[in-house]
PDB file of all heavy atoms in Angstrom:
ATOM      1  N   LYS K 504       8.777   6.551   4.553  1.00 85.00           N
ATOM      2  CA  LYS K 504       9.655   7.725   4.490  1.00 85.00           C
ATOM      3  C   LYS K 504       8.905   8.980   4.041  1.00 85.00           C
ATOM      4  O   LYS K 504       9.059  10.032   4.628  1.00 85.00           O
ATOM      5  CB  LYS K 504      10.810   7.445   3.535  1.00 85.00           C
ATOM      6  CG  LYS K 504      11.655   6.262   3.943  1.00 85.00           C
ATOM      7  CD  LYS K 504      13.043   6.683   4.268  1.00 85.00           C
ATOM      8  CE  LYS K 504      13.938   5.495   4.519  1.00 85.00           C
ATOM      9  NZ  LYS K 504      13.913   4.984   5.822  1.00 85.00           N
ATOM     10  N   ASN K 505       8.096   8.892   2.999  1.00 86.00           N
ATOM     11  CA  ASN K 505       7.345  10.047   2.493  1.00 86.00           C
ATOM     12  C   ASN K 505       5.975  10.069   3.151  1.00 86.00           C
ATOM     13  O   ASN K 505       5.039   9.422   2.698  1.00 86.00           O
ATOM     14  CB  ASN K 505       7.204   9.982   0.972  1.00 86.00           C
ATOM     15  CG  ASN K 505       8.548  10.031   0.292  1.00 86.00           C
ATOM     16  OD1 ASN K 505       9.453  10.702   0.776  1.00 86.00           O
ATOM     17  ND2 ASN K 505       8.690   9.327  -0.806  1.00 86.00           N
ATOM     18  N   VAL K 506       5.868  10.834   4.215  1.00 87.00           N
ATOM     19  CA  VAL K 506       4.661  10.844   5.038  1.00 87.00           C
ATOM     20  C   VAL K 506       3.704  11.925   4.556  1.00 87.00           C
ATOM     21  O   VAL K 506       4.114  13.035   4.227  1.00 87.00           O
ATOM     22  CB  VAL K 506       5.040  11.083   6.517  1.00 87.00           C
ATOM     23  CG1 VAL K 506       3.828  11.155   7.388  1.00 87.00           C
ATOM     24  CG2 VAL K 506       5.975   9.985   6.985  1.00 87.00           C
ATOM     25  N   ASP K 507       2.416  11.584   4.522  1.00 88.00           N
ATOM     26  CA  ASP K 507       1.393  12.559   4.167  1.00 88.00           C
ATOM     27  C   ASP K 507       0.162  12.356   5.049  1.00 88.00           C
ATOM     28  O   ASP K 507       0.189  11.570   6.003  1.00 88.00           O
ATOM     29  CB  ASP K 507       1.050  12.483   2.675  1.00 88.00           C
ATOM     30  CG  ASP K 507       0.676  11.080   2.238  1.00 88.00           C
ATOM     31  OD1 ASP K 507       0.109  10.336   3.051  1.00 88.00           O
ATOM     32  OD2 ASP K 507       0.950  10.719   1.085  1.00 88.00           O
ATOM     33  N   PHE K 508      -0.886  13.047   4.722  1.00 91.00           N
ATOM     34  CA  PHE K 508      -2.119  13.038   5.499  1.00 91.00           C
ATOM     35  C   PHE K 508      -2.626  11.613   5.755  1.00 91.00           C
ATOM     36  O   PHE K 508      -3.035  11.276   6.870  1.00 91.00           O
ATOM     37  CB  PHE K 508      -3.192  13.851   4.752  1.00 91.00           C
ATOM     38  CG  PHE K 508      -4.474  14.009   5.489  1.00 91.00           C
ATOM     39  CD1 PHE K 508      -4.647  15.063   6.371  1.00 91.00           C
ATOM     40  CD2 PHE K 508      -5.517  13.113   5.315  1.00 91.00           C
ATOM     41  CE1 PHE K 508      -5.848  15.218   7.056  1.00 91.00           C
ATOM     42  CE2 PHE K 508      -6.712  13.258   5.999  1.00 91.00           C
ATOM     43  CZ  PHE K 508      -6.871  14.316   6.870  1.00 91.00           C
ATOM     44  N   ALA K 509      -2.603  10.783   4.728  1.00 90.00           N
ATOM     45  CA  ALA K 509      -3.150   9.429   4.824  1.00 90.00           C
ATOM     46  C   ALA K 509      -2.449   8.601   5.900  1.00 90.00           C
ATOM     47  O   ALA K 509      -3.086   7.791   6.577  1.00 90.00           O
ATOM     48  CB  ALA K 509      -3.052   8.726   3.473  1.00 90.00           C
ATOM     49  N   HIS K 510      -1.153   8.797   6.072  1.00 92.00           N
ATOM     50  CA  HIS K 510      -0.409   8.014   7.058  1.00 92.00           C
ATOM     51  C   HIS K 510      -0.856   8.330   8.490  1.00 92.00           C
ATOM     52  O   HIS K 510      -1.059   7.428   9.294  1.00 92.00           O
ATOM     53  CB  HIS K 510       1.090   8.263   6.889  1.00 92.00           C
ATOM     54  CG  HIS K 510       1.630   7.744   5.607  1.00 92.00           C
ATOM     55  ND1 HIS K 510       1.662   8.496   4.466  1.00 92.00           N
ATOM     56  CD2 HIS K 510       2.132   6.536   5.277  1.00 92.00           C
ATOM     57  CE1 HIS K 510       2.174   7.784   3.480  1.00 92.00           C
ATOM     58  NE2 HIS K 510       2.463   6.589   3.948  1.00 92.00           N
ATOM     59  N   PHE K 511      -1.016   9.615   8.785  1.00 92.00           N
ATOM     60  CA  PHE K 511      -1.484   9.997  10.113  1.00 92.00           C
ATOM     61  C   PHE K 511      -2.925   9.549  10.333  1.00 92.00           C
ATOM     62  O   PHE K 511      -3.286   9.076  11.408  1.00 92.00           O
ATOM     63  CB  PHE K 511      -1.364  11.515  10.311  1.00 92.00           C
ATOM     64  CG  PHE K 511       0.050  11.981  10.474  1.00 92.00           C
ATOM     65  CD1 PHE K 511       0.724  12.565   9.418  1.00 92.00           C
ATOM     66  CD2 PHE K 511       0.709  11.842  11.681  1.00 92.00           C
ATOM     67  CE1 PHE K 511       2.031  12.997   9.569  1.00 92.00           C
ATOM     68  CE2 PHE K 511       2.015  12.271  11.841  1.00 92.00           C
ATOM     69  CZ  PHE K 511       2.675  12.844  10.775  1.00 92.00           C
ATOM     70  N   TYR K 512      -3.744   9.706   9.308  1.00 92.00           N
ATOM     71  CA  TYR K 512      -5.150   9.310   9.371  1.00 92.00           C
ATOM     72  C   TYR K 512      -5.265   7.807   9.658  1.00 92.00           C
ATOM     73  O   TYR K 512      -5.974   7.387  10.570  1.00 92.00           O
ATOM     74  CB  TYR K 512      -5.836   9.669   8.052  1.00 92.00           C
ATOM     75  CG  TYR K 512      -7.286   9.268   7.965  1.00 92.00           C
ATOM     76  CD1 TYR K 512      -8.261  10.044   8.564  1.00 92.00           C
ATOM     77  CD2 TYR K 512      -7.671   8.122   7.287  1.00 92.00           C
ATOM     78  CE1 TYR K 512      -9.597   9.681   8.484  1.00 92.00           C
ATOM     79  CE2 TYR K 512      -9.002   7.754   7.207  1.00 92.00           C
ATOM     80  CZ  TYR K 512      -9.957   8.537   7.801  1.00 92.00           C
ATOM     81  OH  TYR K 512     -11.273   8.166   7.725  1.00 92.00           O
ATOM     82  N   ALA K 513      -4.534   7.012   8.886  1.00 92.00           N
ATOM     83  CA  ALA K 513      -4.597   5.553   9.040  1.00 92.00           C
ATOM     84  C   ALA K 513      -4.025   5.113  10.379  1.00 92.00           C
ATOM     85  O   ALA K 513      -4.592   4.240  11.048  1.00 92.00           O
ATOM     86  CB  ALA K 513      -3.855   4.884   7.897  1.00 92.00           C
ATOM     87  N   LEU K 514      -2.926   5.717  10.790  1.00 93.00           N
ATOM     88  CA  LEU K 514      -2.306   5.329  12.052  1.00 93.00           C
ATOM     89  C   LEU K 514      -3.244   5.577  13.227  1.00 93.00           C
ATOM     90  O   LEU K 514      -3.358   4.738  14.124  1.00 93.00           O
ATOM     91  CB  LEU K 514      -0.987   6.086  12.238  1.00 93.00           C
ATOM     92  CG  LEU K 514      -0.120   5.665  13.408  1.00 93.00           C
ATOM     93  CD1 LEU K 514       0.203   4.179  13.350  1.00 93.00           C
ATOM     94  CD2 LEU K 514       1.163   6.475  13.426  1.00 93.00           C
ATOM     95  N   ARG K 515      -3.934   6.681  13.203  1.00 93.00           N
ATOM     96  CA  ARG K 515      -4.901   6.979  14.271  1.00 93.00           C
ATOM     97  C   ARG K 515      -6.002   5.919  14.313  1.00 93.00           C
ATOM     98  O   ARG K 515      -6.349   5.401  15.370  1.00 93.00           O
ATOM     99  CB  ARG K 515      -5.495   8.363  14.060  1.00 93.00           C
ATOM    100  CG  ARG K 515      -6.468   8.764  15.142  1.00 93.00           C
ATOM    101  CD  ARG K 515      -6.858  10.241  15.006  1.00 93.00           C
ATOM    102  NE  ARG K 515      -7.928  10.534  15.915  1.00 93.00           N
ATOM    103  CZ  ARG K 515      -9.216  10.542  15.575  1.00 93.00           C
ATOM    104  NH1 ARG K 515      -9.575  10.320  14.331  1.00 93.00           N
ATOM    105  NH2 ARG K 515     -10.143  10.813  16.465  1.00 93.00           N
ATOM    106  N   ILE K 516      -6.556   5.592  13.156  1.00 92.00           N
ATOM    107  CA  ILE K 516      -7.621   4.584  13.097  1.00 92.00           C
ATOM    108  C   ILE K 516      -7.106   3.221  13.537  1.00 92.00           C
ATOM    109  O   ILE K 516      -7.761   2.513  14.317  1.00 92.00           O
ATOM    110  CB  ILE K 516      -8.218   4.513  11.676  1.00 92.00           C
ATOM    111  CG1 ILE K 516      -9.063   5.756  11.406  1.00 92.00           C
ATOM    112  CG2 ILE K 516      -9.049   3.244  11.484  1.00 92.00           C
ATOM    113  CD1 ILE K 516      -9.605   5.850  10.008  1.00 92.00           C
ATOM    114  N   LEU K 517      -5.932   2.834  13.064  1.00 92.00           N
ATOM    115  CA  LEU K 517      -5.389   1.512  13.401  1.00 92.00           C
ATOM    116  C   LEU K 517      -5.092   1.380  14.894  1.00 92.00           C
ATOM    117  O   LEU K 517      -5.351   0.334  15.494  1.00 92.00           O
ATOM    118  CB  LEU K 517      -4.131   1.239  12.577  1.00 92.00           C
ATOM    119  CG  LEU K 517      -4.356   1.075  11.076  1.00 92.00           C
ATOM    120  CD1 LEU K 517      -3.023   1.052  10.342  1.00 92.00           C
ATOM    121  CD2 LEU K 517      -5.180  -0.159  10.771  1.00 92.00           C
ATOM    122  N   LEU K 518      -4.560   2.434  15.497  1.00 91.00           N
ATOM    123  CA  LEU K 518      -4.291   2.377  16.939  1.00 91.00           C
ATOM    124  C   LEU K 518      -5.583   2.309  17.749  1.00 91.00           C
ATOM    125  O   LEU K 518      -5.662   1.587  18.742  1.00 91.00           O
ATOM    126  CB  LEU K 518      -3.454   3.582  17.369  1.00 91.00           C
ATOM    127  CG  LEU K 518      -1.989   3.564  16.921  1.00 91.00           C
ATOM    128  CD1 LEU K 518      -1.322   4.891  17.221  1.00 91.00           C
ATOM    129  CD2 LEU K 518      -1.232   2.422  17.577  1.00 91.00           C
ATOM    130  N   LYS K 519      -6.598   3.056  17.324  1.00 90.00           N
ATOM    131  CA  LYS K 519      -7.882   3.013  18.036  1.00 90.00           C
ATOM    132  C   LYS K 519      -8.556   1.658  17.864  1.00 90.00           C
ATOM    133  O   LYS K 519      -9.106   1.103  18.814  1.00 90.00           O
ATOM    134  CB  LYS K 519      -8.805   4.124  17.531  1.00 90.00           C
ATOM    135  CG  LYS K 519      -8.422   5.500  18.045  1.00 90.00           C
ATOM    136  CD  LYS K 519      -9.317   6.563  17.503  1.00 90.00           C
ATOM    137  CE  LYS K 519     -10.574   6.655  18.319  1.00 90.00           C
ATOM    138  NZ  LYS K 519     -11.406   7.797  17.937  1.00 90.00           N
ATOM    139  N   THR K 520      -8.497   1.117  16.657  1.00 89.00           N
ATOM    140  CA  THR K 520      -9.150  -0.166  16.383  1.00 89.00           C
ATOM    141  C   THR K 520      -8.418  -1.309  17.075  1.00 89.00           C
ATOM    142  O   THR K 520      -9.043  -2.202  17.633  1.00 89.00           O
ATOM    143  CB  THR K 520      -9.215  -0.430  14.866  1.00 89.00           C
ATOM    144  OG1 THR K 520      -9.876   0.660  14.235  1.00 89.00           O
ATOM    145  CG2 THR K 520      -9.954  -1.709  14.558  1.00 89.00           C
ATOM    146  N   GLY K 521      -7.091  -1.285  17.042  1.00 87.00           N
ATOM    147  CA  GLY K 521      -6.301  -2.354  17.642  1.00 87.00           C
ATOM    148  C   GLY K 521      -6.351  -2.368  19.151  1.00 87.00           C
ATOM    149  O   GLY K 521      -6.194  -3.410  19.777  1.00 87.00           O
ATOM    150  N   GLY K 522      -6.563  -1.219  19.756  1.00 85.00           N
ATOM    151  CA  GLY K 522      -6.669  -1.136  21.213  1.00 85.00           C
ATOM    152  C   GLY K 522      -5.425  -1.641  21.920  1.00 85.00           C
ATOM    153  O   GLY K 522      -4.299  -1.367  21.506  1.00 85.00           O
ATOM    154  N   LYS K 523      -5.627  -2.377  22.980  1.00 85.00           N
ATOM    155  CA  LYS K 523      -4.519  -2.873  23.807  1.00 85.00           C
ATOM    156  C   LYS K 523      -3.633  -3.862  23.048  1.00 85.00           C
ATOM    157  O   LYS K 523      -2.491  -4.089  23.432  1.00 85.00           O
ATOM    158  CB  LYS K 523      -5.048  -3.516  25.094  1.00 85.00           C
ATOM    159  CG  LYS K 523      -5.744  -2.533  26.011  1.00 85.00           C
ATOM    160  CD  LYS K 523      -4.806  -1.461  26.490  1.00 85.00           C
ATOM    161  CE  LYS K 523      -5.510  -0.459  27.379  1.00 85.00           C
ATOM    162  NZ  LYS K 523      -4.698   0.686  27.707  1.00 85.00           N
ATOM    163  N   ASN K 524      -4.144  -4.458  21.973  1.00 86.00           N
ATOM    164  CA  ASN K 524      -3.347  -5.399  21.186  1.00 86.00           C
ATOM    165  C   ASN K 524      -2.188  -4.725  20.460  1.00 86.00           C
ATOM    166  O   ASN K 524      -1.246  -5.399  20.051  1.00 86.00           O
ATOM    167  CB  ASN K 524      -4.225  -6.116  20.148  1.00 86.00           C
ATOM    168  CG  ASN K 524      -5.259  -6.999  20.793  1.00 86.00           C
ATOM    169  OD1 ASN K 524      -5.063  -7.479  21.904  1.00 86.00           O
ATOM    170  ND2 ASN K 524      -6.349  -7.219  20.114  1.00 86.00           N
ATOM    171  N   VAL K 525      -2.264  -3.427  20.266  1.00 88.00           N
ATOM    172  CA  VAL K 525      -1.204  -2.706  19.554  1.00 88.00           C
ATOM    173  C   VAL K 525      -0.506  -1.678  20.449  1.00 88.00           C
ATOM    174  O   VAL K 525       0.161  -0.775  19.956  1.00 88.00           O
ATOM    175  CB  VAL K 525      -1.760  -2.036  18.274  1.00 88.00           C
ATOM    176  CG1 VAL K 525      -2.206  -3.068  17.284  1.00 88.00           C
ATOM    177  CG2 VAL K 525      -2.859  -1.061  18.590  1.00 88.00           C
TER     178      VAL K 525
END
Side-chain angles (χ1 to χ4, degrees):
K504 300 244 187 275
N505 298 326
V506 178
D507 53 32
F508 184 88
H510 293 89
F511 288 101
Y512 178 80
L514 188 56
R515 182 171 171 263
I516 288 175
L517 293 170
L518 288 171
K519 285 178 83 173
T520 304
K523 295 297 179 188
N524 295 333
V525 294

